Amino acid sequence: MTTIENKYFKVSISPQGAQLTSVFNKTDQTEHLWQADPAIWPWHAPNLFPIVGGTVNNQLHVDGVAYPTTRHGFTRTSTFQLVEASDKHAKFSLPFSEKTLAIYPYKFEFQIIYTLIDNALRVCYKVINQDDKPIYFSVGGHPAFNVPFYPGENYEDYYLEFEQQEPLITHTISPDGNLSGLTEPVVLHDRKLRLTKELFANDALVFKNIKSKEITIRSDKHDKFLSVQYPHFAHMGIWAKRGADFVCIEPWLGYSDTEGIVTDIKRKEAIQRLEYGHVFEVDFFISTSY
C-alpha cells in the first residue's frame, strides 16, 4: 500500500488496479471513500481501461477478431508498478504484456498519477502508445464516496449539485449491463439531484456529453461538501448499489456498447484514438471543504 499525505488529506493506494483505498479528510477526521464491503460492493475506486462499461457478449472486436473482455476492462484487476513516489505524489504504471496482448492487441503503457494539491486530489490518466500504429481505448474513473459523511445522518439528507442547470438525459441500462438504446429524462431542481435509495433502482445514470464539469455532494444539514471536477471528460456515470451508503461519480471517456450492436473498436462510440508515438493525458480532481 502506498500513502501520500498533506495537511488536508491522507490518501492510500493499492497496487491492484492502482486503486484508491482511502481518502481521509484530516480536517474533520472523515473517511470519504467507500470501504469496499464485500457483501455489498467490493471496490473502492476502480480505474477503467481500455474499455468503460460492457461489450456485447463480453467481446472486444478488433480488426475482425473477437477478444474476451470483462466489464470496465482488465486494469482494475491488474497489478501496477509504483514507479515514482514522494510525500504528496505517486505514479503507477501498467505496461503491455503477453497477457494483455491476448485480450487487447495493442502495445501501450497506462499510467495513473495521484497528486495532492492543497485540499484537492488530482487523478491523472496517461496512455503512451508504444505500438507501430494507432491504438484505440476508453478510460474513466469509478470512485465511490461515502454518503452520509457523518454518523447519525441519513442518505436522503444529501443531494448532488451540478455545475449547470441542464436538461439531463440518461441512457438506460439493459438486463445484460449494456446500454438499452432507450433514454429517460432526469430533472434537476435548481441544479440539484436528490439522493434516494431508489434513485439507482434501474442501475446507473449514464449521461453522454454532459455540459456540467463539476458535481458536488452536499447535505441539507451542514456546509461540508465533496466535489468532483472533470474538465476534459465528456461523459458521466452516477451509480450506487441499490440501498448502499455511497454514491459513485464517474468521469468517463467512453461508455458501454448498445445492446445487440457489435462494433469494431475503431468505430465504437466515444472511442479515443492515439497515434503512433503519441501520449494521451486527462485528469479529474476530488476536493473537499476545509
Side-chain angles (χ1 to χ4, degrees):
M1 197 70 66
T2 299
T3 299
I4 58 176
E5 188 171 3
N6 66 7
K7 69 178 184 177
Y8 299 105
F9 282 131
K10 183 176 181 180
V11 173
S12 299
I13 309 128
S14 169
Q16 178 178 317
Q19 177 184 210
L20 291 167
T21 59
S22 176
V23 177
F24 186 76
N25 186 336
K26 294 165 64 176
T27 63
D28 61 3
Q29 301 295 294
T30 301
E31 175 59 69
H32 281 293
L33 205 65
W34 168 250
Q35 288 303 289
D37 182 342
I40 299 175
W41 190 62
W43 304 93
H44 303 271
N47 297 300
L48 317 181
F49 177 89
I51 62 169
V52 170
T55 58
V56 174
N57 300 322
N58 295 316
Q59 293 179 326
L60 186 66
H61 292 261
V62 183
D63 297 329
V65 179
Y67 296 86
T69 191
T70 55
R71 189 168 188 81
H72 292 318
F74 52 78
T75 54
R76 62 177 177 169
T77 57
S78 300
T79 300
F80 281 66
Q81 303 166 2
L82 178 64
V83 295
E84 192 175 294
S86 66
D87 291 346
K88 301 176 185 178
H89 171 88
K91 179 191 290 186
F92 295 82
S93 172
L94 180 69
F96 77 91
S97 64
E98 292 303 317
K99 183 177 179 180
T100 67
L101 288 170
I103 55 177
Y104 176 68
Y106 296 112
K107 297 178 180 178
F108 68 92
E109 181 184 358
F110 181 41
Q111 296 180 354
I112 303 175
I113 306 159
Y114 297 100
T115 307
L116 286 171
I117 307 169
D118 295 328
N119 66 317
L121 172 65
R122 178 183 185 237
V123 182
C124 175
Y125 298 133
K126 182 180 287 188
V127 183
I128 303 169
N129 184 347
Q130 296 181 334
D131 217 315
D132 58 2
K133 58 184 180 292
I135 68 173
Y136 297 82
F137 61 91
S138 295
V139 67
H142 200 314
F145 302 108
N146 288 325
V147 174
F149 294 169
Y150 307 117
E153 296 184 321
N154 297 314
Y155 194 83
E156 290 76 10
D157 293 335
Y158 284 75
Y159 58 91
L160 301 180
E161 182 180 76
F162 287 68
E163 178 191 32
Q164 298 187 33
Q165 177 68 35
E166 57 182 298
L168 291 176
I169 301 294
T170 182
H171 296 258
T172 62
I173 307 296
S174 68
D176 65 3
N178 294 320
L179 298 185
S180 68
L182 304 175
T183 61
E184 294 179 354
V186 175
V187 178
L188 298 180
H189 298 280
D190 191 25
R191 299 189 292 126
K192 299 175 182 178
L193 178 63
R194 304 296 315 189
L195 289 177
T196 72
K197 293 297 180 72
E198 296 302 315
L199 182 60
F200 307 105
N202 297 317
D203 213 314
L205 305 178
V206 177
F207 303 122
K208 298 180 183 180
N209 300 309
I210 189 169
K211 293 180 180 178
S212 293
K213 297 303 176 185
E214 181 175 6
I215 296 174
T216 303
I217 304 171
R218 293 188 181 275
S219 171
D220 296 325
K221 304 299 184 181
H222 51 73
D223 293 331
K224 298 292 186 179
F225 65 84
L226 182 142
S227 178
V228 179
Q229 298 129 353
Y230 47 100
H232 306 296
F233 286 85
H235 319 294
M236 171 58 61
I238 299 175
W239 176 79
K241 192 78 171 181
R242 189 174 183 179
D245 287 333
F246 67 81
V247 64
C248 295
I249 300 175
E250 309 172 39
W252 292 344
L253 286 171
Y255 38 79
S256 292
D257 286 348
T258 298
E259 184 178 16
I261 300 177
V262 176
T263 307
D264 187 272
I265 192 172
K266 296 177 183 178
R267 295 187 296 275
K268 275 175 63 67
E269 287 188 27
I271 203 70
Q272 306 300 304
R273 172 185 168 123
L274 184 62
E275 300 295 335
Y276 163 70
H278 286 215
V279 176
F280 169 95
E281 187 173 310
V282 68
D283 55 13
F284 68 93
F285 299 83
I286 300 167
S287 60
T288 64
S289 51
Y290 63 93

